[in-house]
Amino acid sequence: MKQIAGILLVVFLVFLVPQIATAQETPAGTISGEIISGTEGSVVGAGEQVSMLIYQDGVLVETRSSETDSEGKFRFADVSTDIIYGYMFHIYYSGVDYYAGEWIAFGDGESDKSVSINVCESITSDEAIRVVHAHTIISFYEDSLEISESFLFSNDGDRTYVGHEGHSTSEGTGILIFTFPVEAQVSADFFESFILLDDVTFADSLPFPPGERQIDYSYVLPVSNPKDCIIPLYINYPTDTLRVMVQGSDVEVASDQLVEIEPISAQTGEQFIQLMAENVADGSVINISISPSPGKFDWVALILWILAGLLVVAVILFLIRMGKGRTTVRVVSDGNEGAQSDEQQLLYEIAQLDDDFEQGAIDEASYRQKRSERKSQLLELKRRGK
């Protein structure tokens, strides 16, 4: 019995000692943090809820909470310093989710870490929003245009723009607003990250803190003649620079609000006509007029005209061949309605028989018999001196 107890003790120690050693190697640490407001005159006070998201090997396994003190500071104790753990920090402040800009992990020998979360007060006015630069690329297809647009936005204020009630729907509140032409066709996948406000207006729904944000999208615009149309571009925010690029060199592009600048070539060799405007006011509608270039020879039209000409010539030759050898006898009126001589009538009938026989409309035996009869009648008339 004592031997069995001794064996169990040895096994127990074998498994227990490494666990004790590991616990000694990874002592508990502390993470201290601070909430910093980027809005002038605003201070984050006590009672704000801060969440610590705990990840093990990249997988979220636990969430802990702490509250800020009167100076906006918080602290998490008894945090594992094992390298398999990483930590992110979050606060919901003034209606917006904010996260620390860095991932916290302990290195060898570290037991104390610090973190800060930057927040801002919220605002529902878009007066601080502008477009630094906007690019529109227009590409041609058989019966449509593809419009690709890229915007670099800037929030020049010190508050996070959260949209206003006028842009609210059951799906959320629209933040940055965009307007399509009425006929535009957009992929359904596009609206996974945007909300539709009405038939021609959509918006992203992410609050816009101070700084910059890039937004890109494209849509298809059906048109009867892509190279002879007018495209409206809607400007929803003050825009520092607007650049429009139109594919090809066989069209003319014009706009009352834009000026043409040096064309450019893409890496693929494609040519693009460029137009540009600066300091474009919000609410503007930029109309881009596209028309065929009179200075470029239209080879397609030429080929169509040649084919049409050849068809006309072929029809004329066919008609000439059909009428070859046909004798036309003009019936001359003597002034009385329907009057004509017997001799003229016989000549006409003989000519008609010749025509029918040549076209295969009458067999040879009938042809010769009838022609002989008409010929005999004609000779008899001549013999009588009629």
Side-chain angles (χ1 to χ4, degrees):
M1 189 70 177
K2 292 182 179 179
Q3 290 179 343
I4 294 175
I7 293 172
L8 291 176
L9 179 60
V10 171
V11 172
F12 176 75
L13 292 175
V14 168
F15 283 99
L16 179 62
V17 170
Q19 298 299 323
I20 296 174
T22 301
Q24 291 176 345
E25 291 172 1
T26 57
T30 300
I31 300 178
S32 301
E34 181 180 8
I35 309 299
I36 301 173
S37 176
T39 302
E40 184 177 0
S42 174
V43 177
V44 179
E48 298 291 344
Q49 195 83 5
V50 180
S51 298
M52 180 174 70
L53 288 69
I54 305 172
Y55 291 82
Q56 180 179 344
D57 293 326
V59 178
L60 180 63
V61 293
E62 185 184 352
T63 300
R64 292 170 57 184
S65 297
S66 179
E67 288 188 354
T68 58
D69 61 17
S70 59
E71 296 180 341
K73 296 181 179 181
F74 59 91
R75 181 174 180 272
F76 288 91
D78 298 323
V79 179
S80 175
T81 60
D82 195 311
I83 60 173
I84 66 173
Y85 290 100
Y87 306 92
M88 283 295 296
F89 295 85
H90 162 265
I91 183 173
Y92 185 71
Y93 182 81
S94 191
V96 179
D97 290 303
Y98 292 94
Y99 291 85
E102 56 181 325
W103 173 274
I104 300 298
F106 289 90
D108 290 339
E110 291 184 323
S111 59
D112 294 291
K113 301 289 284 187
S114 62
V115 66
S116 61
I117 306 177
N118 295 314
V119 301
C120 293
E121 300 299 325
S122 298
I123 189 171
T124 58
S125 169
D126 63 359
E127 61 185 6
I129 309 301
R130 66 185 173 95
V131 176
V132 179
H133 59 72
H135 283 97
T136 299
I137 301 176
I138 302 173
S139 303
F140 295 102
Y141 292 90
E142 183 176 352
D143 55 359
S144 64
L145 296 167
E146 183 179 59
I147 315 296
S148 300
E149 297 194 290
S150 176
F151 299 90
L152 178 62
F153 286 91
S154 177
N155 180 351
D156 296 333
D158 61 359
R159 295 171 179 265
T160 296
Y161 176 52
V162 295
H164 53 80
E165 292 182 357
H167 295 153
S168 295
T169 70
S170 59
E171 298 179 7
T173 299
I175 309 300
L176 296 176
I177 308 301
F178 305 85
T179 305
F180 286 129
V182 175
E183 305 85 0
Q185 297 177 352
V186 184
S187 169
D189 295 340
F190 177 80
F191 294 108
E192 292 180 358
S193 57
F194 289 84
I195 60 175
L196 191 64
L197 300 181
D198 56 43
D199 291 341
V200 296
T201 309
F202 70 95
D204 76 329
S205 55
L206 296 177
F208 188 8
E212 295 184 339
R213 175 178 296 173
Q214 179 82 27
I215 293 182
D216 306 306
Y217 63 86
S218 64
Y219 58 89
V220 173
L221 189 64
V223 289
S224 56
N225 186 350
K227 295 190 176 181
D228 190 6
C229 61
I230 296 177
I231 305 166
L233 302 178
Y234 299 91
I235 308 301
N236 292 293
Y237 299 94
T239 301
D240 295 351
T241 303
L242 169 63
R243 191 183 298 266
V244 177
M245 300 168 59
V246 181
Q247 178 190 37
S249 56
D250 58 344
V251 293
E252 285 193 342
V253 183
S255 174
D256 292 340
Q257 302 103 315
L258 306 178
V259 295
E260 187 169 349
I261 59 176
E262 189 72 19
I264 63 171
S265 298
Q267 293 181 347
T268 58
E270 287 183 298
Q271 298 290 316
F272 286 88
I273 299 169
Q274 282 198 108
L275 296 93
M276 190 182 76
E278 294 181 338
N279 301 319
V280 184
D282 58 311
S284 301
V285 179
I286 307 296
N287 289 310
I288 309 297
S289 174
I290 299 176
S291 58
S293 175
K296 301 294 181 180
F297 194 80
D298 193 342
W299 287 102
V300 174
L302 175 63
I303 291 172
L304 291 176
W305 277 109
I306 291 175
L307 291 175
L310 291 174
L311 180 61
V312 171
V313 171
V315 171
I316 293 173
L317 290 175
F318 175 76
L319 293 175
I320 291 175
R321 176 166 300 199
M322 290 288 291
K324 185 178 180 182
R326 175 172 293 183
T327 303
T328 303
V329 178
R330 179 174 299 181
V331 179
V332 181
S333 171
D334 63 0
N336 296 321
E337 185 179 351
Q340 59 183 357
S341 68
D342 292 340
E343 185 176 345
Q344 290 172 336
Q345 179 63 30
L346 288 170
L347 287 172
Y348 175 79
E349 290 179 3
I350 290 171
Q352 187 65 47
L353 284 169
D354 291 342
D355 236 8
D356 292 343
F357 178 66
E358 185 175 345
Q359 300 300 323
I362 186 173
D363 61 81
E364 184 175 358
S366 299
Y367 163 68
R368 294 191 182 281
Q369 179 183 349
K370 292 181 179 182
R371 195 177 193 284
S372 178
E373 290 174 356
R374 302 307 189 274
K375 190 71 172 176
S376 298
Q377 292 174 8
L378 183 60
L379 290 175
E380 181 62 25
L381 287 175
K382 288 184 178 292
R383 186 179 64 79
R384 294 176 182 178
K386 204 169 181 178

